[in-house]
Amino acid sequence: MVRCYPQEPEFTSQTAAEKKVWDILRRSLPDDAILFHSVQLRHQRAEHEIDLLVLLPGVGVAVIEVKGGLVSVEKGTWYQSGAKDKHPLKESPMAQVQSASHALRELLGTHMGSRFTSRIADVVCFPYTDWPVDYSSVGLPRDLVIDRGQVENLVACLHTAIEERGVGSSALALDFAERMIRHLNGDTGPLGASPAEVDYAQAMSNEDIQETLTARQSILLSCTRSLKRLQFLGGAGSGKTWMALKKAKELAKSDKRVGLFCYNKGLGLYLQSEVETWRQNRPVHVGEFHEYARKLGVPDGYGREYFEEELPQHLLALGASLPEDEKLDAVIVDEAQDFASSWWEALLACTKDPEHGEVYAFMDDRQDVYQRWDGQFSGDGTPLVPIHVDDNLRNTRRIADTFKEIIGNHSKLRGGEGFAVRYVNCATDDAVDVASDCVDALLGEGWANNQIALLTTNRRHPIHQDHFENDTIDSEYWPAFHRDEEEFYGHVLGFKGLERSVVILCVNGFKDMERATEQLYVGFSRARSLLVVVGDKELIDAASGANRQISLDAALDWCPCPEPASS
């Protein structure tokens, strides 16, 4: 039986078209579907209403704008004709539904604490209008219009729209759809929340605060827009990745050939998933530096010598011979401290103006875990102007306090107070098993599985290792992370630039103690709301750097094991 919210909507003579479509959906949708009528949205200062919203687990989401009467477009103006009159519409139905859909994704991401990545299609339905079969418009694809002749086959049309036109990287998971319901129907539930619900509310409140603070970074980008070569320097959680994406969008929108680069695969896939949602111009390359080189024809290879030396040499030679129309107008690099100077030289050789062209580097040299960075960007070219990004937007104050000696006094901690950092003391050899117990304990407290990431500092967690051995890192492992539907098991080095609400940092040793402080810094700073550190206290203190730059002094000792039942 299709679940409907509300169960029996009140329709009027003005909403007869919506009732017709509602009735068709209620009798035609599969039993696991969820149907909403008149979803009210308040996004920043704008108000939106979604006429009909359909959640199809295993498929995706359809946002539907219904227009009754006879609908037409004449000289660029939309009209709606009824029995008595014909009047112009303030905006096109597609623009109306797109605005509401965008607001829905933003609001759900904020309220649910996880980015909305399920496929979603924006559809207009004219149940009393015969729309031209051969209609063609850049703003309204014909297959996103459902007219009088198609309305009885509405569910099949929605499937097609979601699968062929939907924005997003994954099908809608059933458990995610269930979580959406509470936020969409506005129920308060029984008064008197449980402790777990109070904790969840506090976590979401902290993350809402962090989300709104990106307005500060937007102002910083706006103030520096006339400068063409910039080095944005900021600590972990300062919004550098958000700024890199916003800068790329701004430049691509002005028809420039933009390359948006990084080193880590996980971060590269995240950047790609964000860019895929843009409706306007996109960068010509988004993702890993090495993939860009291969895309241009640099011979494939393996091993550290290939990636560190041979590939950039090949790209440097290739860049000089690139046709002018294939060269880049602007280069943007996120986590720029991961790039060696030879990589920069090769990358800039692929631009139209290597010495003076647009370059934007977003970096934190205190996260130089690969130790490639030597402070050089562009040789004899115009130097990059340093811009300091001082706000920490990601972490709560209690999390940021653990590494405040690293980020320095200039960094302003903008997050809420948050939960106490938890510390679980155990032997290094037992750290992986104990960290796995922490996942179960946190799920038992009410945290959602897709809020949790378990990161190791040395050997991979067995679940992570299985993906390497089965060669499913590209096909299953990273796509699952970006679908944001389950807990994640990774290594701290591969998680640079990424984040989750809850991070369990499993300190199971270090391959190189000289890089241990940087690894702890990266691991501690990935958590938005709750940080759990698991490992041997002496090892963690030894890895915390000179004068204890990273400190667990204020952490709460915690045992993830359930308390024994009382007799």
Side-chain angles (χ1 to χ4, degrees):
M1 185 72 176
V2 177
R3 281 179 287 170
C4 300
Y5 298 93
Q7 290 184 328
E8 297 295 337
E10 292 186 9
F11 294 100
T12 68
S13 59
Q14 301 297 317
T15 56
E18 293 175 25
K19 184 179 187 304
K20 177 182 179 68
V21 179
W22 170 274
D23 289 341
I24 292 171
L25 287 170
R26 187 163 59 176
R27 70 169 181 261
S28 305
L29 284 167
D31 289 346
D32 63 348
I34 303 161
L35 175 61
F36 292 85
H37 173 255
S38 187
V39 178
Q40 306 293 321
L41 305 172
R42 178 81 184 194
H43 184 230
Q44 297 173 357
R45 295 185 178 180
E47 296 179 357
H48 305 272
E49 180 184 8
I50 296 174
D51 289 339
L52 297 169
L53 179 68
V54 178
L55 311 186
L56 286 167
V59 184
V61 177
V63 183
I64 307 172
E65 174 66 24
V66 181
K67 293 296 182 190
L70 183 65
V71 182
S72 61
V73 188
E74 301 172 24
K75 296 182 179 179
T77 300
W78 284 80
Y79 291 92
Q80 186 177 27
S81 303
K84 297 181 180 179
D85 64 354
K86 174 181 179 181
H87 61 273
L89 299 174
K90 293 181 179 179
E91 61 180 335
S92 80
M94 179 51 71
Q96 193 173 348
V97 74
Q98 284 177 339
S99 296
S101 178
H102 174 74
L104 176 70
R105 294 196 302 273
E106 292 283 324
L107 289 168
L108 283 175
T110 298
H111 284 276
M112 296 176 68
S114 53
R115 196 166 51 87
F116 190 91
T117 59
S118 301
R119 285 194 292 272
I120 183 168
D122 310 329
V123 177
V124 294
C125 183
F126 308 143
Y128 305 123
T129 300
D130 290 314
W131 202 253
V133 176
D134 60 350
Y135 179 83
S136 176
S137 167
V138 295
L140 180 59
R142 178 61 182 86
D143 51 359
L144 294 181
V145 179
I146 300 172
D147 69 356
R148 187 176 70 159
Q150 299 168 293
V151 72
E152 290 296 336
N153 198 30
L154 184 56
V155 174
C157 293
L158 295 182
H159 272 264
T160 300
I162 293 169
E163 292 167 352
E164 296 185 6
R165 291 282 187 174
V167 173
S169 58
S170 64
L172 176 66
L174 178 59
D175 61 346
F176 195 82
E178 296 289 349
R179 290 176 57 208
M180 291 172 63
I181 293 173
R182 179 168 61 86
H183 300 282
L184 290 168
N185 67 18
D187 283 356
T188 62
L191 295 181
S194 68
E197 290 171 328
V198 173
D199 284 351
Y200 180 84
Q202 181 182 345
M204 293 305 100
S205 175
N206 285 328
E207 294 188 25
D208 287 350
I209 292 171
Q210 295 154 11
E211 193 74 23
T212 61
L213 288 170
T214 54
R216 296 173 181 269
Q217 318 308 56
S218 183
I219 293 171
L220 187 56
L221 284 175
S222 178
C223 291
T224 57
R225 65 180 178 271
S226 62
L227 302 176
K228 304 305 182 186
R229 293 174 82 89
L230 293 171
Q231 175 189 6
F232 290 90
L233 293 155
S238 56
K240 298 184 299 298
T241 296
W242 183 90
M243 295 174 72
L245 281 162
K246 187 171 179 63
K247 190 66 181 181
K249 189 173 188 177
E250 169 194 314
L251 295 174
K253 189 176 178 179
S254 60
D255 292 325
K256 293 182 179 180
R257 288 180 57 82
V258 180
L260 175 56
F261 300 92
C262 65
Y263 170 66
N264 273 4
K265 181 180 290 292
L267 178 57
L269 291 172
Y270 168 74
L271 296 174
Q272 290 170 13
S273 68
E274 287 293 306
V275 169
E276 283 172 3
T277 66
W278 299 356
R279 290 191 173 91
Q280 296 176 314
N281 296 356
R282 300 174 181 177
V284 297
H285 177 81
V286 179
E288 297 168 86
F289 161 71
H290 295 92
E291 287 304 313
Y292 174 72
R294 288 167 165 166
K295 187 165 68 175
L296 291 184
V298 169
D300 208 351
Y302 300 94
R304 180 167 183 172
E305 184 177 350
Y306 166 76
F307 286 108
E308 301 281 342
E309 300 177 17
E310 294 177 16
L311 182 144
Q313 290 173 2
H314 282 298
L315 183 61
L316 179 63
L318 181 65
S321 61
L322 274 179
E324 191 70 12
D325 60 357
E326 292 183 19
K327 291 185 176 181
L328 300 171
D329 294 302
V331 164
I332 300 171
V333 179
D334 192 21
E335 300 289 348
Q337 75 281 351
D338 293 346
F339 279 42
S341 58
S342 61
W343 299 13
W344 277 102
E345 186 180 8
L347 193 55
L348 293 175
C350 300
T351 65
K352 294 176 181 177
D353 186 353
E355 294 190 359
H356 309 291
E358 293 188 66
V359 177
Y360 306 93
F362 297 83
M363 66 180 298
D364 178 1
D365 55 9
R366 292 155 293 194
Q367 290 190 61
D368 185 20
V369 294
Y370 302 110
Q371 297 185 342
R372 301 190 189 101
W373 174 242
D374 62 4
Q376 297 299 314
F377 282 107
S378 53
D380 297 329
T382 303
L384 274 60
V385 177
I387 302 293
H388 293 276
V389 189
D390 292 329
D391 292 337
N392 179 292
L393 310 180
R394 175 191 299 139
N395 313 113
T396 63
R397 290 177 182 271
R398 287 181 170 176
I399 294 172
D401 277 343
T402 63
F403 52 81
K404 64 182 179 181
E405 296 300 322
I406 287 183
I407 58 179
N409 295 329
H410 292 294
S411 184
K412 298 176 178 61
L413 308 183
R414 301 289 189 183
E417 187 68 18
F419 304 109
V421 174
R422 303 185 194 182
Y423 170 62
V424 183
N425 186 23
C426 69
T428 302
D429 290 343
D430 297 331
V432 171
D433 289 337
V434 175
S436 299
D437 291 339
C438 291
V439 174
D440 295 332
L442 291 168
L443 293 174
E445 290 182 11
W447 294 95
N449 58 357
N450 67 343
Q451 291 180 298
I452 299 171
L454 188 159
L455 307 177
T456 59
T457 58
N458 193 6
R459 297 183 182 227
R460 302 182 186 98
H461 187 280
I463 293 176
H464 188 189
Q465 184 64 32
D466 285 346
H467 281 288
F468 264 94
E469 293 175 356
N470 296 326
D471 197 25
T472 55
I473 290 293
D474 291 342
S475 62
E476 296 179 13
Y477 176 76
W478 282 115
F481 170 76
H482 292 291
R483 285 196 302 270
D484 207 16
E485 295 172 355
E486 57 191 35
E487 63 264 28
F488 178 77
Y489 298 86
H491 192 281
V492 67
L493 294 182
F495 211 67
K496 288 175 76 278
L498 304 177
E499 59 187 49
R500 273 222 168 157
S501 296
V502 181
V503 167
I504 303 166
L505 183 63
C506 173
V507 184
N508 60 335
F510 298 95
K511 291 182 179 178
D512 183 356
M513 284 298 291
E514 291 185 1
R515 298 193 295 170
T517 305
E518 289 85 353
Q519 288 192 43
L520 286 184
Y521 172 43
V522 172
F524 277 45
S525 60
R526 299 304 99 194
R528 293 194 296 262
S529 293
L530 176 63
L531 171 65
V532 180
V533 181
V534 179
D536 178 76
K537 188 67 161 58
E538 290 186 7
L539 176 62
I540 294 171
D541 286 348
S544 294
N547 302 317
R548 296 282 305 283
Q549 290 180 288
I550 296 176
S551 173
L552 288 172
D553 288 347
L556 176 70
D557 289 335
W558 184 53
C559 175
C561 306
E563 294 292 333
S566 59
S567 56

